[in-house]
């Protein structure tokens, strides 16, 4: 924890992005999380992502629930909109916001406790509905904010800081999301920004629900020998399923056609994701094999990371619900609330 | 890239940019922190350990430390290091009982010093506490050398000189004032164990162009003229004065001329402003006093009519840079500038009329004695040189540095040790951690701008030659200015086995100094792929041993580190620590910080 503010000094060779901002313009308040918390690395990755994507801060809404993880939204893009909802309710609040204004970029940040325990139903329905958002699940296997109880993501046999072993089977958010028909799901590690940043960029650019499960060690309650969500364990058991690199259109690096192990996935907004299978037979567009791969890794005690599944053809919430493209704030009041006469007329149809 | 060896004091010394750039390696951040705490006496004495004239140099130093200051890279202006030195000197109390003392029992060795200028006085300062019997030969009736006769009193008041020269002489040096050494051979004949020549570069350069000798009374050599004014041999000057040359002596001449009656003073430079030798602040002060500085004019002849100098002819030049970067000039026109007096300030030469050429001392082709760059020893083993006398004119702080180095040699020579075996430079490194998130220094970044020096107003300034122009910092200014220092001596110290590679330090660093990366490439390539490219090649890059989990390395670009300690505050395992670095310089009789005899 840092008691002093980060000085407003600029590195003399800081580069600016397409909007003329430097990286530091995407920072937020000083973090109050424990020193070394994986969540802070995720914050840094989000700062990098937003800067590289030239996101306009005032066009972004940061949504969260409760938990150390949910505090993340305060620590990046201080100029953006934000809503810190109650425990586990971030997905429904985001669904509402997205329904009212589809022009914003929604970044939801949650924890494994927030998402997989109290908020499990909420998250499931947001996936089902295909809310167009980036959903970052900062997964540390514990309830960090309430001092280290097992969460629903804790593995069987993984121990608490005091040594007690967990008995109950974990919920794997990736498998759950695949079953619920998610259109984008990835897993990464807070200690591997090289992999995490492109995934976050792809998730934001994806039209539809994009879940990114990030193993994010809790240094205070879950970075010990018996933990399966520690820095050391994750580094030793991580298998990269696909090498992910994100190239926004205006800075695209073209690679020779002959490099067959790279598949380019075209995004709706014109940007693309390049996928390089480290396992040559891995196909991130096939839901069944994605599911099988994650299960197989799990059986071997490994953690599958990378962009695990993507389907760019799916419809999102707005398509399902046939909403109007205009954000509700821009719809004239008379149209939003046509008045008593219009209501009467409508009611007449049912009489 | 090889792992950085931080046990070598040079690595951390280089991080303290100001201390590295200072010829005497003064502990700048150390004395600035003492000022911040209001401990002026301690600050003055810490300064004096390496820089024996804090009050004098706080007014006159050429400040090689300031362009090096890291603060100047973080924003544009460096810490006002020099002015703060003066703050400690001005505000100190009576420190006489804390100054070094000479022992009552002498060590039986006799050393003669030629000249009582800054370098010789430094030698005396270092040798007297060791029990040496020191005799100084000084041609003037007061000590100080060029500091007294060539630097005008409006920049350096006599009382400041008296005090600081006095601290040294009062330790028990015998000074033979008004005594010019006429023969080194007979001086050696007096049985001294060593002789130190610190007689400066007392000969001003001539400008031998047509007309030079036609009206000799109206043409002066800068340093001689300044001395004449100092000794009151002459007290006035004609109204229109031309100064040739644009170094600090020229600035002293033009400003002095303004004070003794000149109305129209022009300083003429052969080249453009970026080539001027004078310190920028001296140029600024001169211009503030309405001295006109004319660029790109080459002197062609003195114009003398009926035995009287009436002006000088110049060729107005245009300089162009060719493809190889060499500048060449073309003459645009010839121009007469009327004047009554010309002062030549185009440099100084050494002169050793008192050294016989047959006493076994080698001289080079330019007539300079052959002197070893490290030991200051000449080819006559008991004769040492330093200050401007050694290798030509430099600034005062260099003379002080020479004095310290020569004193080590003189001590070694007199004690029968080898002069080339230099005592090692050491360091201490102590954690600055005093609590969970508190440090033994102020790690908060202060965004204040550099404080402006207050100047005496123009009319008052010209009321007397001894009216000091710079008024020093006010208490508030000093307090703000010290906080601008980035405490570069509080080093970021890394212990690789403790790192869990959580990235917290990398993410929190406000200037992107840190990177965790694979270490396979040469340093040039590594520099390009750090969090922010390390473009300043003059600054070192720290490379740690392999980290425990992934065998990657922690790399730190020292260039713009604020020493804010955020990396150390963030690190969950204390792999980063902020440690106070204290460079232990070698002085005569001081080895590893201990007086050996
Ligand atoms: C309705 C409700 N129930 C319980 C809590 C107590 N509580 C606060 S944070 C938290 C767990 C958070 O865990 P997780 O989402 O994994 O976040 P972490 O702190 O581990 O990052 C709980 C149970 C609460 N704030 N509100
Ligand atoms: S910031 Fe302070 S310590 Fe650093 S170089 Fe400047 S004066 Fe020296
Ligand atoms: S002290 Fe640490 S955090 Fe601060 S600038 Fe230096 S490396 Fe960065
Ligand atoms: S904060 Fe400490 S443990 Fe984490 S990467 Fe930096 S040095 Fe290593």
């Amino acid at each position: 924890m840092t008691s002093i503010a980060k000085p407003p000094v600029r590195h003399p060779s800081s580069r600016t992005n397409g909007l003329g901002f430097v990286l530091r313009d995407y920072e937020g308040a000083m973090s109050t999380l424990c020193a070394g918390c994986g969540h802070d690395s995720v914050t840094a990755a989000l700062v990098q992502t937003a800067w590289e994507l030239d996101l306009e801060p005032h066009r972004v809404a940061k949504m969260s629930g409760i938990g150390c993880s949910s505090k993340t939204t305060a620590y990046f893009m201080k100029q953006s909109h934000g809503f810190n909802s109650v425990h586990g309710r971030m997905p429904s609040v985001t669904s509402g916001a997205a329904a009212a204004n589809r022009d914003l970029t929604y970044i939801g940040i949650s924890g494994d406790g927030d998402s997989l325990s109290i908020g499990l139903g909420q998250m499931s329905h947001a996936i089902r509905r295909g809310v167009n958002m980036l959903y970052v699940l900062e997964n540390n296997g514990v309830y960090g904010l309430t001092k280290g109880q097992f969460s629903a993501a804790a593995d069987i046999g993984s121990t608490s800081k005091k040594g007690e072993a967990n008995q109950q089977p974990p919920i794997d958010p990736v498998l759950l999301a695949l079953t619920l028909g998610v259109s984008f799901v990835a897993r990464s590690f807070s200690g591997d920004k090289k992999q995490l940043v492109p995934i976050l960029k792809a998730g934001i650019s994806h039209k539809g629900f994009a879940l990114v499960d990030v193993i994010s060690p809790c240094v205070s309650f879950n970075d010990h020998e018996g933990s399966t969500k520690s820095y050391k364990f994750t580094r030793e058991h991580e298998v990269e399923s696909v090498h992910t690199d994100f190239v926004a259109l205006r800075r695209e690096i073209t690679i020779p056609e002959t490099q067959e192990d790279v598949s380019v996935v075209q995004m709706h907004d014109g940007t693309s994701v390049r996928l390089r299978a480290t396992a040559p037979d891995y196909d991130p567009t096939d839901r069944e094999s994605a599911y099988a791969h994650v299960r197989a890794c799990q059986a071997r005690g490994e953690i599958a990371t990378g962009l695990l599944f993507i389907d760019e053809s799916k419809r999102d919430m707005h398509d399902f619900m046939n909403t109007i493209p205009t954000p509700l704030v821009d719809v004239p009041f008379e149209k939003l609330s046509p008045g008593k006469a219009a209501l009467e007329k409508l009611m007449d149809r049912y009489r | 890239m090889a792992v950085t060896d931080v046990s070598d004091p040079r690595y951390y010394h280089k991080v303290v940019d100001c201390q590295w750039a200072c010829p005497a390696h003064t502990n700048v951040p150390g004395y600035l922190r003492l000022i911040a705490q209001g401990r002026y006496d301690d600050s003055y004495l810490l300064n004096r350990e390496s820089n024996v004239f804090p009050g004098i140099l706080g007014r006159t130093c050429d400040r090689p430390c300031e362009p090096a200051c890291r603060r100047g890279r973080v924003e544009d202006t460096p810490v006002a290091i020099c002015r703060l030195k003066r703050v400690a000197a001005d505000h100190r109390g009576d420190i006489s009982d804390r100054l070094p003392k000479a022992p009552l029992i002498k060590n039986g060795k006799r050393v003669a010093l030629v000249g009582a200028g800054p370098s010789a006085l430094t030698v005396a300062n270092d040798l007297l506490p060791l029990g040496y019997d020191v005799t100084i030969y000084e041609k003037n009736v007061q000590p100080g050398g060029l500091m007294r006769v060539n630097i005008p009193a409006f920049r350096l008041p006599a009382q400041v000189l008296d005090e600081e020269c006095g601290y040294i002489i009062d330790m028990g040096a015998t000074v033979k004032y008004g005594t010019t050494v006429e023969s080194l051979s007979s001086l050696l004949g007096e049985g001294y164990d060593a002789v130190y020549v610190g007689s400066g570069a007392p000969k001003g350069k001539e400008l031998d162009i047509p007309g030079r000798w036609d009206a000799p009374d109206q043409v002066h050599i800068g340093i001689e003229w300044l001395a004449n004014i100092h000794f009151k041999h002459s007290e006035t000057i004609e109204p229109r004065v031309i100064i040739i040359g644009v170094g600090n002596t020229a600035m002293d001449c033009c400003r002095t001329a303004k004070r003794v009656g000149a109305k129209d003073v022009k300083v003429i430079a052969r080249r453009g402003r970026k080539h001027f030798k004078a310190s920028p602040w001296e140029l600024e002060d001169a211009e503030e006093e309405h001295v006109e500085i004319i660029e790109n004019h080459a002197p062609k002849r003195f114009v003398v009519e009926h035995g009287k100098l009436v002006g000088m002819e110049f060729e107005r030049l245009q300089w162009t840079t060719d493809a190889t970067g060499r500048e060449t000039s073309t003459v645009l026109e010839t121009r007469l500038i009327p004047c009554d007096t010309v002062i030549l300030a185009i440099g100084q030469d050494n002169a050793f009329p008192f050294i016989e050429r047959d006493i076994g001392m080698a001289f080079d082709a330019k007539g300079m004695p052959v002197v070893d760059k490290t030991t200051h020893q000449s080819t006559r083993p008991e004769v040492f040189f330093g200050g401007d006398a050694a290798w030509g004119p430099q600034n005062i702080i260099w003379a002080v540095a020479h004095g310290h180095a020569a004193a080590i040699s003189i001590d070694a020579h007199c004690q029968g040790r080898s002069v080339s075996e230099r005592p090692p430079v050491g360091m201490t490194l102590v954690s600055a951690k005093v609590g969970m998130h508190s440090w033994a220094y102020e790690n908060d970044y202060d965004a204040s701008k550099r404080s402006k020096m207050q100047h005496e107003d123009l009319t008052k300034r010209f009321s007397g030659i001894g009216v000091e122009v710079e008024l020093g910092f006010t208490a508030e200014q000093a307090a703000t200015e010290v906080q601008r220092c980035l405490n570069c001596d509080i080093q970021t110290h890394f212990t690789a086995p403790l790192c869990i590679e959580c990235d917290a330090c990398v993410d929190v660093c406000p200037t992107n100094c840190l990177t965790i990366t694979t270490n396979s490439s040469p340093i040039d390539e590594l520099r390009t792929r750090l969090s922010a490219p390390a473009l300043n090649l003059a600054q070192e890059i720290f490379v740690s041993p392999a980290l425990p989990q992934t065998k990657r390395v922690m790399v730190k670009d020292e260039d713009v580190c604020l020493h804010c300690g955020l990396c150390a505050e963030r690190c969950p395992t204390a792999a980063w620590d902020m440690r106070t670095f204290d460079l232990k310089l070698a002085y005569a009789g001081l080895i590893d910080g201990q007086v050996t005899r």
Side-chain angles (χ1 to χ4, degrees):
Chain A
M1 205 218 281
T2 308
S3 44
I4 57 171
K6 195 161 162 174
V9 168
R10 243 181 213 200
H11 191 283
S13 52
S14 321
R15 284 182 300 131
T16 51
N17 66 1
L19 300 174
F21 292 133
V22 295
L23 192 71
R24 290 208 52 192
D25 293 329
Y26 285 85
E27 290 180 351
M30 200 68 181
S31 168
T32 54
L33 299 178
C34 306
C37 179
H39 300 353
D40 281 335
S41 301
V42 179
T43 306
L46 283 161
V47 168
Q48 178 89 20
T49 298
W51 178 75
E52 287 182 13
L53 283 181
D54 298 342
L55 291 189
E56 294 177 290
H58 69 285
R59 308 298 304 161
V60 172
K62 308 171 294 180
M63 316 297 285
S64 64
I66 297 295
C68 299
S69 40
S70 290
K71 294 168 85 175
T72 297
T73 47
Y75 309 141
F76 67 97
M77 290 176 96
K78 56 176 169 284
Q79 329 266 21
S80 305
H81 308 278
F83 196 104
N84 186 213
S85 70
V86 289
H87 203 11
R89 272 58 184 173
M90 180 273 282
S92 27
V93 176
T94 312
S95 306
N101 187 346
R102 59 156 82 184
D103 276 4
L104 300 184
T105 298
Y106 291 94
I107 301 178
I109 315 278
S110 179
D112 44 324
D114 197 51
S115 285
L116 305 178
S117 296
I118 194 168
L120 186 65
Q122 302 266 319
M123 182 178 86
S124 303
H125 289 285
I127 297 173
R128 257 186 75 238
R129 289 191 183 114
V131 180
N132 184 8
M133 69 181 297
L134 169 70
Y135 192 113
V136 180
L137 199 161
E138 295 179 347
N139 190 343
N140 54 17
V142 292
Y143 292 173
L145 193 66
T146 52
K147 301 212 172 336
Q149 300 85 352
F150 290 122
S151 79
D155 292 308
I156 297 177
S158 134
T159 64
S160 70
K161 201 177 176 181
K162 287 233 169 86
E164 179 200 347
N166 177 39
Q167 312 280 341
Q168 294 168 41
I171 296 174
D172 184 313
V174 172
L175 294 178
L176 178 70
L178 284 170
T179 344
L180 291 169
V182 78
S183 56
F184 180 112
V185 63
R187 177 138 56 205
S188 191
F189 171 40
S190 67
D192 185 1
K193 286 205 204 74
K194 250 205 196 117
Q195 185 194 49
L196 180 56
V197 172
I199 286 179
L200 293 174
K201 285 164 85 175
I204 288 177
S205 308
H206 174 75
K207 181 175 169 267
F209 191 92
L211 175 70
V212 182
D213 179 34
V214 189
I215 310 297
S216 171
C218 167
V219 273
S220 293
F221 303 108
N222 211 14
D223 194 38
H224 47 79
E225 276 301 307
S227 163
T228 58
K229 300 271 188 304
S230 66
Y231 281 107
K232 192 154 186 267
F233 187 94
T234 310
R235 285 210 169 91
E236 284 168 359
H237 296 82
E238 177 189 18
V239 281
E240 191 173 52
S241 310
V242 269
H243 176 81
T244 319
D245 194 359
F246 178 83
V247 185
L249 201 61
R250 66 180 182 85
R251 287 204 213 116
E252 188 163 12
I253 309 152
T254 45
I255 48 156
E257 291 293 335
T258 47
Q259 232 168 309
E260 304 122 17
D261 58 341
V262 174
S263 51
V264 180
V265 183
Q266 199 68 34
M267 299 288 194
H268 284 264
D269 65 352
T271 60
S272 60
V273 186
R274 287 193 307 152
L275 303 171
R276 186 201 312 273
T278 8
D281 52 344
Y282 190 80
D283 177 7
T285 62
D286 177 356
R287 191 181 297 271
E288 308 309 322
S289 61
Y291 196 91
H293 173 70
V294 175
R295 287 297 299 256
C297 286
Q298 228 166 39
R300 292 197 298 269
E302 292 175 351
I303 307 153
T305 66
L307 198 160
L308 299 165
F309 175 73
I310 183 165
D311 177 359
E312 284 292 278
S313 67
K314 283 200 66 145
R315 296 192 296 159
D316 84 337
M317 181 176 76
H318 296 290
D319 304 328
F320 285 129
M321 303 185 68
N322 204 17
T323 57
I324 56 162
T326 320
L328 298 189
V329 278
D330 296 332
V331 178
F333 182 75
E334 306 74 59
K335 209 167 171 200
L336 264 184
S337 176
K340 200 163 177 215
L343 180 66
E344 285 299 326
K345 218 170 135 195
L346 181 75
M347 291 308 283
D348 279 348
R349 281 168 51 192
Y350 300 104
R351 288 201 174 106
Chain B
M1 243 322 272
V3 170
T4 305
D5 177 12
V6 292
S7 67
D8 178 351
R10 263 178 312 172
Y11 181 77
Y12 279 145
H13 182 186
K14 227 174 150 180
V15 174
V16 196
D17 292 81
C18 51
Q19 191 176 13
W20 181 260
C22 172
H25 300 320
T26 307
N27 183 348
V28 174
Y31 82 70
L32 296 194
R33 270 198 302 282
L34 290 168
I35 294 174
Q37 295 162 13
R39 293 164 60 189
Y40 301 116
D41 292 3
D42 294 332
S43 174
Y44 182 87
L45 289 164
L46 176 63
N47 211 315
R48 198 185 176 283
E49 276 178 26
S50 48
N51 165 357
V52 293
F53 307 110
I56 296 173
L57 284 160
R59 291 167 166 84
T60 59
C61 190
D62 204 31
R63 313 174 192 172
C65 53
E66 291 193 12
C69 172
R70 186 178 306 265
R71 182 79 187 207
R73 294 199 290 274
V74 170
E75 33 154 288
D76 23 305
T77 48
V79 176
I81 303 171
C82 185
R83 266 78 186 257
L84 288 166
K85 200 191 306 292
R86 174 177 168 181
V87 166
D90 286 355
H91 294 288
R92 77 186 189 278
D94 181 8
I95 43 117
S96 42
D97 60 341
R98 295 176 65 187
L99 290 170
K101 305 226 163 14
L104 289 175
I105 300 162
K106 302 291 173 202
N107 70 359
K109 302 288 182 189
R110 294 173 60 238
V111 178
L113 314 181
V114 182
S119 80
L121 287 175
T122 305
V123 174
N125 177 74
D126 288 5
L127 294 183
L128 285 164
L130 301 177
Y132 285 88
D133 178 337
V134 174
T135 308
I136 307 178
Y137 292 84
E138 169 55 51
K139 70 169 187 241
N140 296 322
V141 294
Q142 281 173 308
L146 95 150
M147 301 192 293
R148 191 180 294 270
V149 297
N150 285 167
I151 298 180
F154 59 83
R155 283 217 289 135
L156 177 58
Q159 163 242 338
V160 177
L161 262 167
D162 292 342
E163 268 174 7
E164 291 190 336
C165 297
Y167 288 157
I168 296 168
I169 292 164
D170 296 346
M171 263 192 272
T174 309
V175 192
K176 302 201 170 180
Y177 289 114
T179 312
T180 309
V181 173
E182 307 282 1
S183 155
L184 184 61
S185 158
S186 56
L187 187 66
L188 287 168
E190 287 179 38
Y192 287 108
D193 295 284
V195 171
Y196 178 77
V197 181
S199 51
K203 218 176 78 186
K205 278 205 167 79
E206 262 304 339
L207 181 64
D208 238 337
I209 53 172
R212 165 63 182 95
W213 306 107
D214 296 348
D217 292 350
Q218 285 166 280
V219 181
H220 308 291
I221 301 286
I223 55 167
E224 287 169 12
W225 180 75
L226 286 171
N228 281 341
I229 295 286
H230 169 79
F231 291 119
K232 301 198 165 55
H233 296 328
S234 83
E235 289 180 78
T236 54
I237 197 161
E238 287 83 358
R240 294 173 308 169
V241 178
I242 282 179
I243 318 274
I244 308 287
V246 71
N248 285 341
T249 303
M251 294 303 111
D252 285 341
C253 288
C254 65
R255 296 176 69 192
T256 302
K258 276 252 157 184
R259 283 164 175 75
V260 293
K263 293 281 168 280
D264 167 14
V265 181
K266 292 186 167 68
V267 172
I268 319 281
R270 251 179 80 82
R271 312 190 68 182
R273 209 167 177 103
K274 68 173 197 277
H275 296 285
F276 289 5
K277 281 228 178 74
S279 316
W281 52 90
E282 309 231 343
L283 282 163
E284 219 175 85
D285 290 352
E287 289 186 313
E288 191 182 306
E289 292 172 9
H290 306 301
V291 167
E292 191 186 346
I293 299 177
I294 301 177
E295 301 167 67
N296 305 324
H297 277 56
K300 203 173 165 209
R301 66 184 184 100
F302 292 87
V303 183
V304 178
E305 283 170 9
H306 316 296
K308 205 168 167 284
L309 178 76
V310 293
M312 241 188 125
E313 215 169 76
F314 294 90
E315 283 177 337
R316 192 157 74 80
L317 305 178
Q318 182 178 25
W319 293 90
T320 41
T321 318
D322 68 11
T324 63
R326 214 168 48 110
E327 284 187 84
T328 45
S329 62
T330 38
V331 178
L332 298 180
E333 60 169 336
T334 304
R335 180 181 167 197
L336 177 88
I337 301 180
C339 70
D340 310 307
T341 299
V342 172
I343 299 176
L344 303 175
I346 47 179
Q348 278 149 258
D349 278 330
N350 293 55
F352 300 103
F354 61 97
I355 303 180
E356 294 80 357
R357 305 292 139 130
D358 60 354
I359 55 167
M361 191 185 291
F363 281 79
D364 66 14
K366 289 193 187 130
M368 292 285 281
V370 176
V371 178
D372 184 283
K373 282 269 177 200
T374 315
T375 64
H376 292 256
Q377 194 175 39
S378 72
T379 52
R380 213 24 230 245
E382 73 273 44
V383 182
F384 299 82
F385 284 78
D388 291 356
W391 303 289
Q394 268 170 322
N395 47 50
I396 303 174
I397 191 64
W398 267 112
V400 171
H402 287 180
H404 287 309
I408 291 174
S409 302
I410 294 171
D411 180 42
H413 172 79
C414 291
Q415 303 304 324
R417 294 191 306 261
S418 157
V419 294
S420 54
E421 263 172 48
R422 310 305 286 178
V425 171
M427 66 166 170
T428 56
L429 207 55
V430 184
S431 179
K433 203 175 184 105
V434 291
M436 273 291 274
H437 301 295
S438 41
W439 305 97
Y441 71 108
E442 270 207 69
N443 62 339
D444 229 351
Y445 177 80
D446 190 322
S448 312
K449 293 272 166 256
R450 182 174 163 119
S451 307
K452 272 226 163 2
M453 171 58 65
Q454 309 293 303
H455 282 175
E456 191 61 89
D457 71 61
L458 275 180
T459 39
K460 193 141 176 235
R461 235 188 259 189
F462 293 123
S463 64
I465 191 149
V467 177
E468 190 170 13
V469 172
E470 294 196 346
L471 299 178
F473 278 153
T474 62
E476 295 77 44
Q477 279 182 313
T480 316
E481 192 62 29
V482 280
Q483 297 303 350
R484 294 182 71 238
C485 173
L486 301 173
N487 299 289
C488 303
D489 62 332
I490 312 285
Q491 307 280 352
T492 49
H493 186 84
F494 187 69
T495 310
L498 293 177
C499 179
I500 56 169
E501 299 171 59
C502 69
D503 270 4
C505 54
V506 176
D507 295 339
V508 82
C509 176
T511 58
N512 303 110
C513 291
L514 309 174
T515 308
I516 300 180
T517 184
T518 47
N519 180 19
S520 50
S521 62
I523 187 78
D524 294 348
E525 198 266 335
L526 188 67
R527 277 179 174 273
T528 61
R529 57 182 176 86
L530 301 182
S531 304
L535 305 176
N536 184 355
L537 300 182
Q539 288 295 310
E540 302 271 318
I541 299 247
F542 164 83
V543 180
S544 79
L547 302 177
Q549 290 186 12
T550 62
K551 307 293 169 243
R552 291 178 300 171
V553 287
M554 176 70 78
V555 179
K556 181 183 176 213
D557 174 15
E558 300 285 5
D559 191 29
V560 287
C561 174
L562 305 177
H563 302 268
C564 62
L566 288 183
C567 49
E569 283 199 29
R570 257 301 144 99
C571 179
T573 67
W576 281 113
D577 188 19
M578 303 308 290
R579 297 202 179 166
T580 313
F581 161 80
D582 194 4
L583 182 70
K584 297 289 175 207
L585 283 173
Y587 292 116
L590 260 181
I591 291 168
D592 289 340
Q594 301 291 317
V595 180
T596 49
R597 276 164 293 118

